Coordinates of all heavy atoms in Angstrom, one line a residue:
K1312 N 35.7 -45.5 -3.7 CA 34.7 -46.6 -3.6 C 34.5 -47.1 -2.2 O 33.4 -47.2 -1.6 CB 34.9 -47.7 -4.6 CG 33.7 -48.7 -4.5 CD 34.0 -49.9 -5.4 CE 34.9 -50.8 -4.6 NZ 35.0 -52.1 -5.2
Q1313 N 35.6 -47.4 -1.6 CA 35.5 -48.2 -0.2 C 35.0 -47.1 0.8 O 34.3 -47.4 1.8 CB 36.9 -48.6 0.2 CG 36.8 -49.5 1.5 CD 35.8 -50.7 1.2 OE1 35.9 -51.5 0.4 NE2 35.0 -50.8 2.3
H1314 N 35.5 -45.7 0.6 CA 34.9 -44.7 1.5 C 33.4 -44.6 1.3 O 32.6 -44.5 2.4 CB 35.6 -43.3 1.2 CG 35.1 -42.2 2.0 ND1 35.5 -42.0 3.2 CD2 34.2 -41.3 1.6 CE1 34.9 -40.9 3.8 NE2 34.1 -40.5 2.8
G1315 N 32.9 -44.7 0.1 CA 31.4 -44.5 -0.1 C 30.8 -45.7 0.6 O 29.7 -45.5 1.1
I1316 N 31.3 -46.9 0.4 CA 30.7 -48.1 0.8 C 30.6 -48.0 2.4 O 29.6 -48.3 3.0 CB 31.4 -49.3 0.4 CG1 31.2 -49.6 -1.0 CG2 31.0 -50.6 1.2 CD1 32.0 -50.7 -1.7
D1317 N 31.6 -47.5 3.1 CA 31.7 -47.5 4.6 C 30.6 -46.5 5.0 O 29.9 -46.8 6.0 CB 33.1 -47.0 5.0 CG 34.0 -48.0 4.9 OD1 33.7 -49.2 4.5 OD2 35.3 -47.6 4.9
F1318 N 30.3 -45.4 4.3 CA 29.4 -44.5 4.6 C 27.9 -45.2 4.5 O 27.1 -45.1 5.4 CB 29.4 -43.1 3.7 CG 28.3 -42.2 3.9 CD1 28.3 -41.4 5.1 CD2 27.2 -42.2 3.1 CE1 27.4 -40.4 5.2 CE2 26.2 -41.3 3.3 CZ 26.2 -40.4 4.4
L1319 N 27.7 -45.7 3.4 CA 26.3 -46.3 3.2 C 26.1 -47.4 4.0 O 24.9 -47.7 4.5 CB 26.2 -46.7 1.6 CG 26.2 -45.6 0.6 CD1 26.4 -46.0 -0.8 CD2 25.1 -44.6 0.7
N1320 N 27.1 -48.2 4.3 CA 26.9 -49.4 5.1 C 26.5 -49.0 6.6 O 26.1 -49.8 7.4 CB 28.1 -50.5 5.2 CG 28.1 -51.2 3.9 OD1 27.1 -51.4 3.2 ND2 29.3 -51.8 3.6
N1321 N 27.0 -47.8 7.0 CA 26.8 -47.4 8.4 C 25.9 -46.1 8.4 O 25.7 -45.6 9.5 CB 28.2 -46.8 8.8 CG 28.3 -46.7 10.3 OD1 27.8 -47.6 11.2 ND2 29.0 -45.6 10.9
I1322 N 25.0 -46.0 7.4 CA 24.2 -44.8 7.4 C 23.2 -44.7 8.4 O 22.8 -43.7 8.9 CB 23.5 -44.7 6.0 CG1 23.0 -43.2 5.7 CG2 22.5 -45.7 5.8 CD1 22.7 -43.0 4.2
E1323 N 22.7 -45.9 8.9 CA 21.7 -45.8 10.0 C 22.3 -45.4 11.4 O 21.6 -45.0 12.3 CB 21.1 -47.2 10.2 CG 20.3 -47.7 9.0 CD 19.5 -48.9 9.3 OE1 19.6 -49.5 10.5 OE2 18.9 -49.5 8.4
N1324 N 23.7 -45.4 11.5 CA 24.3 -44.9 12.7 C 24.9 -43.6 12.5 O 25.3 -43.0 13.6 CB 25.4 -45.9 13.1 CG 24.9 -47.4 13.3 OD1 23.9 -47.6 14.0 ND2 25.4 -48.3 12.7
I1325 N 24.8 -43.0 11.4 CA 25.3 -41.6 11.3 C 24.4 -40.6 11.7 O 23.2 -40.8 11.3 CB 25.9 -41.5 9.7 CG1 27.1 -42.3 9.4 CG2 26.2 -40.1 9.5 CD1 27.4 -42.5 8.0
P1326 N 24.7 -39.7 12.4 CA 23.7 -38.7 12.9 C 23.0 -37.9 11.8 O 23.5 -37.6 10.6 CB 24.6 -37.7 13.8 CG 25.8 -38.4 14.1 CD 26.1 -39.3 12.9
T1327 N 21.7 -37.6 12.0 CA 21.0 -36.8 11.0 C 21.2 -35.4 11.2 O 20.8 -34.5 10.3 CB 19.4 -37.1 11.4 OG1 19.1 -36.9 12.7 CG2 19.0 -38.5 10.8
S1328 N 21.9 -35.0 12.4 CA 22.2 -33.5 12.7 C 23.6 -33.7 13.3 O 23.9 -34.6 14.0 CB 21.2 -32.8 13.5 OG 20.1 -32.7 12.8
N1329 N 24.4 -32.5 13.2 CA 25.6 -32.5 14.1 C 26.0 -31.1 14.3 O 25.5 -30.2 13.6 CB 26.7 -33.5 13.4 CG 27.3 -32.8 12.2 OD1 27.5 -31.6 11.9 ND2 27.5 -33.7 11.3
T1330 N 26.8 -30.8 15.2 CA 27.5 -29.5 15.5 C 28.8 -29.3 15.2 O 29.4 -28.4 15.5 CB 27.2 -29.1 17.1 OG1 27.9 -30.1 17.8 CG2 25.7 -29.2 17.4
Y1331 N 29.4 -30.3 14.4 CA 30.7 -30.2 13.9 C 31.0 -29.0 13.1 O 30.1 -28.7 12.3 CB 31.2 -31.5 13.3 CG 32.5 -31.6 12.8 CD1 33.6 -31.9 13.6 CD2 32.8 -31.4 11.4 CE1 34.9 -31.9 13.2 CE2 34.0 -31.4 10.9 CZ 35.1 -31.6 11.7 OH 36.4 -31.6 11.3
S1332 N 32.1 -28.4 13.2 CA 32.4 -27.2 12.3 C 33.9 -27.3 11.9 O 34.6 -27.9 12.5 CB 32.0 -26.0 13.1 OG 32.2 -24.9 12.2
I1333 N 34.1 -26.5 10.8 CA 35.6 -26.4 10.5 C 35.9 -25.0 10.2 O 34.9 -24.1 10.1 CB 35.9 -27.1 9.1 CG1 35.0 -26.5 8.0 CG2 35.7 -28.6 9.2 CD1 35.4 -27.1 6.6
D1334 N 37.1 -24.5 10.3 CA 37.6 -23.2 9.8 C 37.9 -23.3 8.4 O 38.7 -24.0 7.9 CB 39.0 -22.9 10.4 CG 39.3 -21.4 10.1 OD1 38.7 -20.8 9.3 OD2 40.4 -21.0 10.6
P1335 N 37.0 -22.7 7.4 CA 37.0 -22.8 6.0 C 38.2 -22.0 5.5 O 38.5 -22.2 4.3 CB 35.7 -22.3 5.5 CG 35.2 -21.3 6.5 CD 35.8 -21.8 7.9
K1336 N 38.8 -21.2 6.3 CA 40.0 -20.4 5.7 C 41.4 -21.0 5.7 O 42.3 -20.7 6.6 CB 40.0 -19.0 6.5 CG 38.9 -18.2 6.3 CD 39.0 -16.8 7.0 CE 37.8 -15.9 6.7 NZ 37.9 -14.7 7.4

Side-chain angles (χ1 to χ4, degrees):
K1312 181 191 78 172
Q1313 192 56 54
H1314 175 79
I1316 289 171
D1317 291 345
F1318 174 81
L1319 293 172
N1320 284 344
N1321 195 41
I1322 200 165
E1323 292 187 3
N1324 301 314
I1325 293 169
T1327 52
S1328 298
N1329 65 43
T1330 56
Y1331 177 80
S1332 185
I1333 62 168
D1334 179 2
K1336 294 183 178 179

